[in-house]
Every structure is written in structure tokens, then in C-alpha cells.
Amino acid sequence: MRIIFPFIGEPHHIFHALPIAAEMAAMGADVEVAVAGPDHLRILKQIDLVYPGFDPRITLLGQTGPARWLRDAGILRNPRLPILLGALPFLRGFDAIVVPERTTTAIRHFLPRRTRLVFTPHGAGDRAIMLDPRDRHFDFVLVAGKKSEKRLLDAGTIRPGHYAVNGYVKLDLMARLQKSRPPLFDNGKPTVLYAPHFQRALSSWDKFGAAVIDWFAGQDRYNLVVAPHVRLFAEASDSEREAVMERAVPDKILIDLGSDRLFDMSYTGGADIYLGDVSSQVYEFLATPRPCLFLNAHDVDWRGDPDYLFWTLGDVLDDPAGLGAALDAAQVRHKLYSPAQCERLAESIGGDPAGAARRGAEAILRFLAKDG
């Protein structure tokens, strides 16, 4: 049985699925990998540190045809659908296709009936984006925790016998990588991670971003890392990026708009306090429970809304003017939220993530063996 792990989306998707491929290969499965560009190849090297014996055949997709033209013309960095359509003859040769994104469901009906489509989600947040009707097109789905399992079952996007709860694969991987990383700053001050979401209608960046950076620039008690979701500035112009980067202050404010550290947990693992809005990165941060603050930039009536469940894990600010007082009180007030953080973490990612990749690999192989 031939199994392919194609990565056509953002490079950070690799962290959520490639460890499963490595575990499958260690169990004797015939596994191959396909990627959409050199950025993906760079991420593969990081995972080599954890799985040095994993040496799959790697195919580079989207190097010809419409996908290549769209890239060269600067229209799209990752033209997912053109990449998939161009790769169809290649993908049709596999018995199972395992992906961490949903665009691949667009080719579901162009695949042989024997080819199984498997989904390994790349997040475990609370927003309704997790309830995507495209999930019904997958033959098998991995689910991080019991919270997601219940919501997906209730929505009818997964069905018994065609999913497994395995934990959060990325945290399984990152716990191993984090051990050798240096601190983000060398000044001994607590570090705050500001991680705004990429969708403008949900993000705090446009309304509060400048005020947040200005507040940190005017004080000397905290360090700040500004690390938005990688897609927030993916299509920004050079001048827009430069205007933000100019706000960085050596040994006080670090701003990162596009490096691999945005998604390799360098920041979520190395910060002391989380400041965000609706990003599921908060659950990566809470792999080790710590103080959290949330910015309500859109006057959301969030209490009792399951899409904002993580806002029950820290104080919520409607105005960045209260940021200083909230930060100063964050460590003391953390005891109010710590039990809920541990509970939500267990619901969202299945508690201790150790072994998540292995459990995912075993579940997929069991399904394929039974289904075949």
C-alpha cells in the first residue's frame, strides 16, 4: 500500500502531519512526501532532528504549468488548486493521501475509488472554522481532543468508524525540539507574546496593533514579541512590512512577520504571557499553562459563545489602555484561570501530547487495513 503526504499549503502545516508519516515509516509503511516549494523543504530539515532515520522519497509539486506561472507572475505564492490539478496523475497512483488542509477535497472525485483521503487538522481552536462541511469528503479524520470530537460529531462532519482521537501532533514534535532552544531575550524580564489572527474581521491587529507596540516601547518592565499568524502579512507589500518592522526595539521588542519561528513554537514555547485574540495558537502556548490576556477589538458579545471558549482562560480587554494594569496583575490572577486552562487543554488536545504522532499513524494504518 502506497501512502503520500502532500503539503500544498503554508509550510507550517508540515509540523502537524509529517511526524505521522515518520511514525508510519518506522512501522514499515510505504510512505512518500510531496511539497510545494523550497520553504517546505527547509521545514523538513527541522523534523530530521527528531526523526533522523526518516528518509522518504520527496517530490516537488507545482514546478510546471499554471501553478508555476502564477508563482512567477507574483499572483499567488501557493496556488493550491492549480498545484493539485497539475499533480493529479501523480496522486492517482497512491492508495491513501494524507493532508493537513481541506483544499485537497476538491479533487476527491478525480481520484480512483480505491484511494482514501485522510485529514490531519492543523489546529485545535474553538472557532466555528473547525466545523467545515468539506470534512465529509474525507474517508478518515484525526481529531486532537474530546472537545473537537463532540463538536464534529454534532455537526455531522465526522462519523463513527471513520475518525480517531490522537492528541495534538505538533506539540508532540515541539516538546522534543524545544529542549535545545535559547531564551528569546537575555535581559531577564518577562516576555509577552502578541499573536494576532490573520483574518481582518476577527483580528485585533488593525485596531489595536499599533497601540500595543507603542505601549511596550514606552515602558521597561516587559519584553514584547510581535508574532502574527504567518498569513497576516503574506500578501503585504515590502513597504507595509518595513513600516511595521521599523517599530522593533533591540533587546525589548522583537517583530517577526514571516520567519519559520512564527510556527515552530519558538515564541509560544519561550514567552511568559500570551496576548492574543482568536488564534488557536493559545492552545500551543498553554502546553505549559501560563497567564493569558485577550483583546476584544470588535466588541464581541463572547460570553457563552463556544467559538470564544478560550477567552475564559484569561482576562479579556476591550481597550488596550488597560494593558499595563492587566499585565502587572497577570501572574497573580493566573491562579484564577490555571485549573480551567488545564481542563480546556485536555479537551482540546487530549492532555499530554506525547505519542500523538504515533497514535495517529497507528489509527490511520488500522483504518486502511480494515477498509482495504
Side-chain angles (χ1 to χ4, degrees):
M1 178 175 290
R2 299 180 66 205
I3 303 171
I4 182 76
F5 282 70
F7 296 96
I8 62 165
E10 286 75 20
H12 69 273
H13 290 180
I14 291 174
F15 291 126
H16 297 270
L18 196 67
I20 298 173
E23 295 287 359
M24 279 187 179
M27 296 163 64
D30 182 4
V31 174
E32 296 185 29
V33 173
V35 298
D39 290 346
H40 297 73
L41 293 173
R42 190 174 64 251
I43 300 302
L44 295 183
K45 293 180 180 179
Q46 289 196 45
I47 298 180
D48 283 346
L49 299 174
V50 175
Y51 298 99
F54 181 46
D55 186 26
R57 177 183 177 184
I58 300 173
T59 300
L60 201 57
L61 303 177
Q63 303 308 297
T64 59
R68 179 62 180 268
W69 181 84
L70 288 167
R71 277 203 188 108
D72 291 347
I75 297 173
L76 289 172
R77 293 181 63 186
N78 279 326
R80 297 187 189 188
L81 194 54
I83 289 173
L84 284 170
L85 293 175
L88 258 177
F90 170 69
L91 295 174
R92 286 171 59 88
F94 291 89
D95 301 290
I97 300 173
V98 186
V99 295
E101 41 67 37
R102 296 178 171 101
T103 306
T104 302
T105 59
I107 65 168
R108 164 78 277 180
H109 299 297
F110 297 98
L111 297 171
R113 293 186 65 181
R114 65 175 172 82
T115 302
R116 295 295 175 248
L117 202 56
V118 179
F119 185 37
T120 65
H122 62 270
D126 296 322
R127 294 190 307 110
I129 191 173
M130 67 180 290
L131 308 176
D132 194 309
R134 289 177 294 178
D135 292 354
R136 297 186 179 96
H137 296 293
F138 290 104
D139 298 289
F140 194 76
V141 176
L142 292 180
V143 180
K146 294 294 184 181
K147 176 198 69 180
S148 297
E149 178 187 21
K150 183 180 186 306
R151 294 191 75 186
L152 294 171
L153 283 172
D154 289 347
T157 55
I158 61 173
R159 61 194 190 280
H162 292 261
Y163 77 89
V165 179
N166 67 303
Y168 200 55
V169 172
K170 182 178 178 180
L171 290 184
D172 183 11
L173 170 67
M174 291 305 163
R176 310 183 201 190
L177 288 175
Q178 192 68 27
K179 296 175 182 177
S180 60
R181 287 173 173 163
L184 297 174
F185 296 88
D186 292 326
N187 55 29
K189 299 173 184 177
T191 295
V192 179
L193 167 62
Y194 176 41
H197 196 263
F198 67 93
Q199 290 185 352
R200 255 41 199 221
L202 299 168
S203 177
S204 59
W205 176 255
D206 289 335
K207 188 173 180 181
F208 290 163
V212 167
I213 297 174
D214 288 345
W215 185 88
F216 279 93
Q219 55 78 53
D220 60 4
R221 306 192 302 280
Y222 300 94
N223 304 310
L224 174 67
V225 174
V226 179
H229 189 286
V230 67
R231 291 176 63 182
L232 182 61
F233 283 88
E235 307 299 331
S237 66
D238 290 343
S239 60
E240 289 172 327
R241 287 171 168 267
E242 289 171 6
V244 177
M245 294 300 298
E246 288 174 355
R247 291 175 168 269
V249 179
D251 203 34
K252 179 189 279 191
I253 300 177
L254 184 162
I255 299 178
D256 187 344
L257 304 183
S259 85
D260 293 348
R261 299 176 87 189
L262 288 178
F263 42 80
D264 71 4
M265 284 190 65
S266 291
Y267 301 135
T268 51
D272 302 291
I273 300 173
Y274 180 90
L275 177 65
D277 35 55
V278 301
S279 175
S280 64
Q281 284 190 76
V282 68
Y283 286 117
E284 296 181 3
F285 178 83
L286 289 175
T288 301
R290 286 162 286 173
C292 295
L293 297 173
F294 302 97
L295 296 170
N296 184 1
H298 300 279
D299 299 319
V300 176
D301 183 12
W302 59 273
R303 290 175 178 81
D305 187 336
D307 289 351
Y308 290 86
L309 185 61
F310 41 39
W311 281 14
T312 64
L313 306 181
D315 289 344
V316 179
L317 307 179
D318 297 323
D319 189 330
L323 185 56
L327 286 171
D328 291 344
Q331 292 291 348
V332 173
R333 290 181 58 77
H334 181 234
K335 63 185 178 184
L336 302 176
Y337 299 108
S338 181
Q341 288 181 353
C342 293
E343 184 179 346
R344 294 288 90 78
L345 185 70
E347 292 175 351
S348 298
I349 67 167
D352 185 354
R358 183 74 176 193
R359 291 190 294 272
E362 291 171 344
I364 294 171
L365 292 177
R366 278 197 305 269
F367 171 76
L368 295 177
K370 178 181 177 181
D371 188 59

